[in-house]
Amino acid sequence: MKKKLIGLLICLFGWAGIGLAQSSDAILARLLQDDKASVEALVLYPENIRNDILQACLYPELVVRIGEMQRLTSQQFSDLLSTETREDQQSLWELARFPALVTHISERGGLKEEDLKTFPEDIHNVARWANDAKRPTVIRMNELYAASESAFASLLRTYPDPAQRALRNLVTVPEVMSILSESLKMTVLVGDMYRRDPAWVIHKLDSLNLEVARRNAEDLQAWRDSLSANPQALREYEQSSEEFRKEQGAPVATEQEVTQYTTVYNTYNYGNTYNTGNYPRNYGYYHNPYPWWYGYPSWYDYPSWYPQPYWYHSGYYYGAGGVLIVYGMPSPYYTWWYFQHPWHHHHYPHLTHHFLCYHEGHRDSPGGFHREVNNWVAENETVFGKDWLKNDVNRPDRIKEFGQFEVSYHNSLVTQPSKTPSEQVYFETHSKEYPNLNASVNASPRPIAPKPTVSRPNETWPVKPNTDSRPTTNPKPNTDSRPTTNPNNDSRPTTNPNNDSRPTVNPKPNNDSRPTTNPKPNTDSKPTYTPTPKVERPPQNFEAPRSNPAPSYHNDTWQRADPKPTYSPKPQVAPRPQVSPKPNFSNPSPSPKGGIKGSR
């Protein structure tokens, strides 16, 4: 009888273990479905940071309390800087990325020249200026930071040592803390699974890390191939990237500077050494994050914890001989910048068409690029219907007319604010000026009620001609390029971005609805890309930082009985949210134009 009872208990515990495994598999599958972007962003971090993330997930209440402390301190910091000019705010935000330097300025006697030796050269002049002109403000900055660190230490004191070590590490990687505090459901569920079966969770995250890395590599190669197969889109891509560079106020980067940047990036990841001194040149400038307690500058439209050079956002640079080396996808910031300025669609219709083709061929990749394209498509469906962007031979024509219409409507709001109706009504009354766009709109259903009239902007937008007549002057760096949005959820800009000096003339009627170049656009309903066989690596073991990992994978890949993956890519670098203040390159030199190379 005793043996039967023991056997029954063994069976019960065995079935309970199977049920637990099935439950964990189901929870993980649901997380991958509901919060895919957050999970994939976290699994791409190195193993030591993933382990710290798991420790933090065991104490979600601690993550919440740290998040509340951060919100309070960041608001106080914003209030402190709110009375400063925009230019001074930018400088103080840059200084804030070096807490030890802030402390030097705040000490009795102020900053000494020898204090600067262990900090990047890029921040030296800002530190001298702050010491001479803004020392009371810097002292208050230091007090806020010290108070937050003290409260943080007191909060951790009651938790186990592994949790304390993990959270101290993670606050130096603020984008991770941001994900954990904003995705609390994921944090709680991952912590619960890890508490029940640590080995199983670690194995699953290791497997997912390899799968996401593989998918990222496949997506990136497809992007390179698509550009090689479409020289017309590639030309417009280079032109728009040059416009982006000028708006950033950045000089053209040399291959040497790119190599230096990427080498330093691979050597010093995640900004974890920003208080240790002995910085390589530009390391601290590009890799020190804005402190977790301060947050990031309010003028960024994205969670942007790290500044990055302009070519990081456009996804390519020029190597030796003017060869174009593509190392990554356009960043979410670059994509947002491109799609939120309607004259880009008028001036670069084939590039917009190409972006849409790639997006349509990779809908299962929810990264920042795809998210921004999808948001733009959904935003304009309410005015132009669901079929105006169908992939046919006339799509570049419609895209070009769309850009012209958007500029015309915006400028009408400026010049005739009391007479301009909603966007939908305005289009209906001017539809003859946009024949290709109008034909598509008439063939697709739209909402019955027009959109409410938006708030009135006060500056006109430029009309981009078919030739490249962009201004040659460089606007000031780090200006506020965020368009303000209206309360009706209309995310189109209502002011002239960046206060630039481009001409503010009213748009002319549609003078040329044809594409600006001879090659015909892709007429197939699916992208037709011809891969290029040769792929070369950038210099010095370059591995590009990924901002928003966006692979696809299948639920049946993650069953408990799966064998261990055999794919072993190089370690992935941390995903970086992407909005870049002014890069600070030294010794710039012109970069010649040339062909395209691939890179991994």
Side-chain angles (χ1 to χ4, degrees):
M1 184 69 181
K2 184 176 181 180
K3 290 182 179 180
K4 290 183 179 180
L5 180 60
I6 293 174
L8 179 60
L9 290 174
I10 291 174
C11 290
L12 289 175
F13 280 113
W15 282 109
I18 295 173
L20 176 60
Q22 291 175 342
S23 174
S24 296
D25 275 320
I27 291 173
L28 181 58
R30 186 59 181 266
L31 272 178
L32 295 176
Q33 179 180 353
D34 294 345
D35 210 348
K36 186 176 181 179
S38 295
V39 174
E40 291 185 350
L42 293 177
V43 301
L44 280 181
Y45 282 90
E47 182 180 3
N48 62 321
I49 294 185
R50 294 204 304 271
N51 291 337
D52 288 338
I53 290 170
L54 292 174
Q55 279 292 326
C57 288
L58 290 174
Y59 305 97
E61 78 286 355
L62 181 57
V63 173
V64 172
R65 294 180 69 180
I66 293 172
E68 289 301 316
M69 289 172 54
Q70 188 272 339
R71 277 186 280 276
L72 175 61
T73 306
S74 64
Q75 184 59 56
Q76 292 174 331
F77 185 76
S78 295
D79 293 343
L80 174 64
L81 267 57
S82 62
T83 58
E84 304 287 344
T85 65
R86 176 59 181 277
E87 186 177 0
D88 289 353
Q89 286 188 45
Q90 291 169 335
S91 297
L92 290 169
W93 268 108
E94 289 303 299
L95 181 66
R97 294 168 48 226
F98 303 88
L101 188 52
V102 171
T103 300
H104 283 311
I105 297 174
S106 303
E107 290 173 345
R108 181 175 297 180
L111 183 70
K112 299 176 178 61
E113 280 300 312
E114 55 266 27
D115 296 334
L116 295 173
K117 293 180 180 179
T118 57
F119 295 93
E121 293 179 15
D122 307 87
I123 201 65
H124 288 188
N125 287 336
V126 172
R128 294 186 186 103
W129 164 82
N131 184 69
D132 295 338
K134 298 293 178 182
R135 195 158 177 265
T137 302
V138 176
I139 291 174
R140 179 57 181 151
M141 288 169 55
N142 190 56
E143 290 172 349
L144 283 174
Y145 190 87
S148 297
E149 286 286 289
S150 176
F152 179 52
S154 298
L155 180 62
L156 292 181
R157 204 167 288 137
T158 59
Y159 286 85
D161 289 343
Q164 293 188 35
R165 287 192 297 270
L167 269 301
R168 288 194 183 98
N169 291 335
L170 291 182
V171 294
T172 67
V173 194
E175 71 273 20
V176 170
M177 289 300 300
S178 180
I179 293 173
L180 293 178
S181 59
E182 291 174 5
S183 303
L184 281 176
K185 177 182 176 182
M186 177 201 68
T187 302
V188 171
L189 292 178
V190 169
D192 182 65
M193 289 188 292
Y194 183 61
R195 183 178 291 106
R196 292 171 181 270
D197 193 345
W200 180 85
V201 172
I202 291 173
H203 171 69
K204 286 295 184 180
L205 294 186
D206 289 344
S207 300
L208 187 57
N209 172 276
L210 298 177
E211 178 69 6
V212 170
R214 181 180 67 82
R215 297 287 184 180
N216 279 350
E218 292 174 352
D219 286 353
L220 177 55
Q221 189 57 49
W223 173 248
R224 295 190 191 109
D225 295 341
S226 72
L227 289 175
S228 296
N230 194 338
Q232 187 174 14
L234 178 59
R235 282 194 299 272
E236 293 184 1
Y237 188 29
E238 292 180 83
Q239 292 167 1
S240 70
S241 298
E242 177 64 9
E243 184 178 340
F244 178 78
R245 179 189 70 80
K246 289 181 179 180
E247 287 200 13
Q248 300 298 303
V252 176
T254 65
E255 183 178 17
Q256 180 182 2
E257 289 167 336
V258 174
T259 300
Q260 182 184 41
Y261 172 90
T262 55
T263 302
V264 168
Y265 189 95
N266 291 331
T267 306
Y268 302 88
N269 280 333
Y270 312 117
N272 286 335
T273 59
Y274 64 83
N275 274 323
T276 63
N278 300 317
Y279 295 91
R281 177 171 175 77
N282 283 334
Y283 159 58
Y285 186 83
Y286 287 121
H287 300 288
N288 262 23
Y290 297 109
W292 164 248
W293 304 120
Y294 293 158
Y296 51 85
S298 59
W299 52 82
Y300 290 161
D301 206 59
Y302 283 88
S304 179
W305 296 96
Y306 295 81
Q308 299 287 358
Y310 75 90
W311 50 264
Y312 166 89
H313 293 290
S314 58
Y316 71 85
Y317 64 94
Y318 291 103
V323 176
L324 189 147
I325 299 177
V326 176
Y327 75 89
M329 294 288 298
S331 76
Y333 178 51
Y334 176 90
T335 311
W336 173 86
W337 168 85
Y338 181 87
F339 278 91
Q340 291 300 321
H341 294 72
W343 55 82
H344 291 156
H345 308 295
H346 176 69
H347 196 47
Y348 313 120
H350 296 90
L351 178 58
T352 302
H353 170 68
H354 185 76
F355 283 159
L356 292 170
C357 284
Y358 186 82
H359 170 68
E360 291 158 358
H362 299 79
R363 292 185 184 276
D364 56 352
S365 299
F369 170 84
H370 297 280
R371 181 181 65 247
E372 291 307 311
V373 176
N374 190 66
N375 288 345
W376 178 78
V377 171
E379 173 189 331
N380 288 289
E381 283 180 353
T382 59
V383 178
F384 303 105
K386 291 183 176 297
D387 298 330
W388 81 279
L389 284 175
K390 62 182 178 181
N391 191 357
D392 59 22
V393 68
N394 293 320
R395 182 157 73 173
D397 294 349
R398 296 194 301 273
I399 290 170
K400 180 171 181 163
E401 291 180 359
F402 164 81
Q404 188 176 7
F405 164 76
E406 287 291 296
V407 172
S408 176
Y409 177 67
H410 173 93
N411 290 345
S412 178
L413 289 173
V414 175
T415 57
Q416 297 178 322
S418 61
K419 297 181 179 180
T420 305
S422 68
E423 189 172 15
Q424 190 180 91
V425 173
Y426 183 86
F427 177 77
E428 291 171 352
T429 57
H430 294 78
S431 58
K432 293 182 179 180
E433 300 174 17
Y434 314 101
N436 291 285
L437 186 57
N438 185 49
S440 176
V441 168
N442 289 336
S444 61
R446 289 184 295 162
I448 297 176
K451 293 176 67 177
T453 303
V454 298
S455 58
R456 309 304 188 188
N458 55 21
E459 295 184 16
T460 57
W461 280 348
V463 180
K464 289 288 182 178
N466 289 332
T467 58
D468 190 358
S469 61
R470 291 185 295 276
T472 57
T473 56
N474 291 338
K476 290 183 178 180
N478 296 324
T479 53
D480 190 355
S481 60
R482 264 200 316 172
T484 56
T485 56
N486 60 68
N488 295 317
N489 295 324
D490 185 347
S491 60
R492 293 178 182 80
T494 59
T495 58
N496 186 27
N498 295 316
N499 294 323
D500 61 27
S501 58
R502 288 175 285 191
T504 57
V505 296
N506 292 328
K508 296 179 181 180
N510 181 26
N511 294 324
D512 182 9
S513 61
R514 294 171 298 175
T516 59
T517 53
N518 292 327
K520 292 183 179 180
N522 177 24
T523 58
D524 193 356
S525 58
K526 296 181 179 179
T528 56
Y529 301 139
T530 304
T532 52
K534 186 177 181 181
V535 177
E536 297 185 10
R537 299 177 185 273
Q540 299 197 15
N541 297 323
F542 170 60
E543 293 193 15
R546 288 302 303 260
S547 301
N548 285 274
S552 62
Y553 44 84
H554 306 285
N555 291 336
D556 59 3
T557 305
W558 306 113
Q559 299 304 312
R560 188 177 181 83
D562 280 351
K564 292 185 177 180
T566 58
Y567 175 75
S568 299
K570 290 188 175 183
Q572 298 295 301
V573 300
R576 299 291 187 230
Q578 29 304 105
V579 176
S580 174
K582 173 187 174 181
N584 193 338
F585 293 112
S586 62
N587 302 320
S589 64
S591 176
K593 305 290 181 178
I596 177 173
K597 282 189 181 180
S599 62
R600 289 187 191 275

